[in-house]
Amino acid sequence: MKTLTGIALALASAAAALPAVAQTPPPPPPAEAKSQAMPYVMASGMSDLYEINSSQVALQKSQNPAIKRFASMMIKDHQKTTAATMAAAKKAGLTPTPPMLDAGATASINELQQAAPGDFDRIYLAQQLPAHQAALDLQQSYAAGGDQAALRANAKAATPIVKRHVDMVTKMQAGKMDAGHKM
């Protein structure tokens, strides 16, 4: 028994000494963003900005052509959804400020920037899945019960785009979409 305890302690100590390779997804949007116009606009904009910034890092750091194609698509798609959200916000009579990252999203970007080359793709995809799942929940929720018609229509239009991204990340994580597959 003492030997097993000693081995367990030694393994725990060794594991603690290893650098952590976390996958820190940005935090989900606040609950009020699912139904209130201005929180929705801010959360949607921050989500898009995270996707754009994280994908710009992927274009610089990844060596995988499939990841680079995905990242290019993320930048293009999320620039479009940001523009559409800002236009819908103005139509709803709002004057939103440009999107900004919160501390959690900034930490996620920093993690990507500091990732070792051999870990980058895994960390990038591991962040993308929960980030897109949270974005999908936000878009679906606001589309169903948001307080501004123009923004509900915007959320409804964004939903299939985000769903497609979730499907793609899931396939990439499962190894079912490689450099030879077209996105």
Side-chain angles (χ1 to χ4, degrees), residues 20-23 25 46 48 58 74 88 95-97 99-100 103 106 112-114 118 142 183:
V21 183
Q23 294 109 137
M46 186 180 71
D48 283 342
M74 290 297 99
T95 52
T97 58
M100 293 178 52
T106 300
L112 290 172
Q113 291 170 332
Q114 296 168 6
Y142 196 88
M183 294 197 193

Side-chain angles (χ1 to χ4, degrees), residues 100-131:
M100 293 178 52
L101 297 178
D102 67 7
T106 300
S108 297
I109 299 295
N110 290 340
E111 181 179 27
L112 290 172
Q113 291 170 332
Q114 296 168 6
D119 293 328
F120 180 82
D121 292 349
R122 180 184 52 75
I123 293 171
Y124 174 68
L125 292 175
Q127 285 186 6
Q128 292 299 305
L129 188 58

Side-chain angles (χ1 to χ4, degrees), residues 3-173:
T3 304
L4 287 177
T5 303
I7 291 171
L9 286 174
L11 287 173
S13 296
L18 293 174
V21 183
Q23 294 109 137
T24 309
E32 61 271 14
K34 295 179 181 184
S35 61
Q36 297 173 21
M38 192 55 98
Y40 164 75
V41 170
M42 300 309 292
S44 185
M46 186 180 71
S47 174
D48 283 342
L49 186 59
Y50 161 77
E51 294 301 340
I52 292 165
N53 289 357
S54 64
S55 295
Q56 288 169 336
V57 175
L59 287 177
Q60 295 169 359
K61 292 193 76 164
S62 180
Q63 299 303 308
N64 182 327
I67 296 284
K68 287 183 177 259
R69 279 195 308 276
F70 177 78
S72 291
M73 185 186 70
M74 290 297 99
I75 293 166
K76 182 179 162 190
D77 285 357
H78 288 286
Q79 286 172 337
K80 285 181 183 177
T81 55
T82 296
T85 300
M86 292 302 157
K90 287 179 184 162
K91 188 174 180 182
L94 302 173
T95 52
T97 58
M100 293 178 52
L101 297 178
D102 67 7
T106 300
S108 297
I109 299 295
N110 290 340
E111 181 179 27
L112 290 172
Q113 291 170 332
Q114 296 168 6
D119 293 328
F120 180 82
D121 292 349
R122 180 184 52 75
I123 293 171
Y124 174 68
L125 292 175
Q127 285 186 6
Q128 292 299 305
L129 188 58
H132 276 93
Q133 288 168 330
L136 182 58
D137 180 48
L138 173 66
Q139 300 299 343
Q140 289 175 326
S141 296
Y142 196 88
D147 60 358
Q148 290 287 335
L151 290 166
R152 279 195 312 272
N154 177 75
K156 186 175 181 180
T159 296
I161 296 166
V162 180
K163 275 184 182 178
R164 187 176 79 241
H165 295 170
V166 169
D167 291 344
M168 293 173 86
V169 171
T170 302
K171 287 178 183 174
M172 291 176 80
Q173 283 185 321

